C-alpha cells in the first residue's frame, strides 16, 4: 500500500525533480559499488591501507549525498510545484 503511494508520488513528480532524484540515487549506487570493488581488491598488506581508507570513505559518503539530495529535492519540488 505504501509502495503504491510512493510510486504514484514519483510518477506525479515534475520531470526535472525526477531527473534530479534519479541522478542522486545513481551517484549513491556508483559510490557504493566502487567501495565494494575496493574492499574486494583489498588485501591485508600495509601498502593497501590507503585503498582500505578510500573504500571506507566511499562507504560512508552516500548517506550524506542522499541526505543532501533529498533536501535539494524538497526545495526543487517546492519551487516547481
Amino acid at each position: 500500500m505504501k509502495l503504491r503511494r510512493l510510486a504514484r508520488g514519483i510518477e506525479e513528480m515534475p520531470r526535472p525533480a525526477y531527473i534530479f532524484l534519479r541522478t542522486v540515487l545513481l551517484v549513491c549506487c556508483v559510490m557504493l559499488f566502487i567501495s565494494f570493488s575496493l574492499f574486494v581488491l583489498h588485501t591485508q598488506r600495509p601498502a593497501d591501507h590507503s585503498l582500505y581508507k578510500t573504500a571506507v570513505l566511499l562507504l560512508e559518503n552516500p548517506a550524506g549525498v542522499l541526505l543532501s539530495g533529498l533536501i535539494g529535492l524538497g526545495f526543487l519540488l517546492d519551487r516547481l510545484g
Side-chain angles (χ1 to χ4, degrees):
M1 187 70 175
K2 291 183 181 181
L3 287 176
R4 288 184 187 168
R5 282 184 23 203
L6 180 64
R8 187 172 54 241
I10 291 173
E11 287 174 359
E12 295 172 359
M13 179 181 301
R15 183 145 176 88
Y18 173 73
I19 292 171
F20 180 77
L21 176 64
R22 210 171 136 188
T23 304
V24 167
L25 291 175
L26 180 67
V27 166
C28 290
C29 289
V30 166
M31 289 173 75
L32 288 172
F33 178 74
I34 292 171
S35 174
F36 172 74
S37 300
L38 290 175
F39 275 122
V40 168
L41 292 175
H42 173 69
T43 58
Q44 296 295 341
R45 294 182 304 199
D48 287 342
H49 183 68
S50 62
L51 189 69
Y52 177 76
K53 292 282 278 188
T54 303
V56 169
L57 289 174
L58 281 172
L59 184 64
E60 295 171 352
N61 281 340
V65 171
L66 190 58
L67 182 63
S68 300
L70 290 178
I71 291 170
L73 181 66
F75 284 127
L76 190 60
L77 285 174
D78 186 49
R79 195 71 151 144
L80 294 174

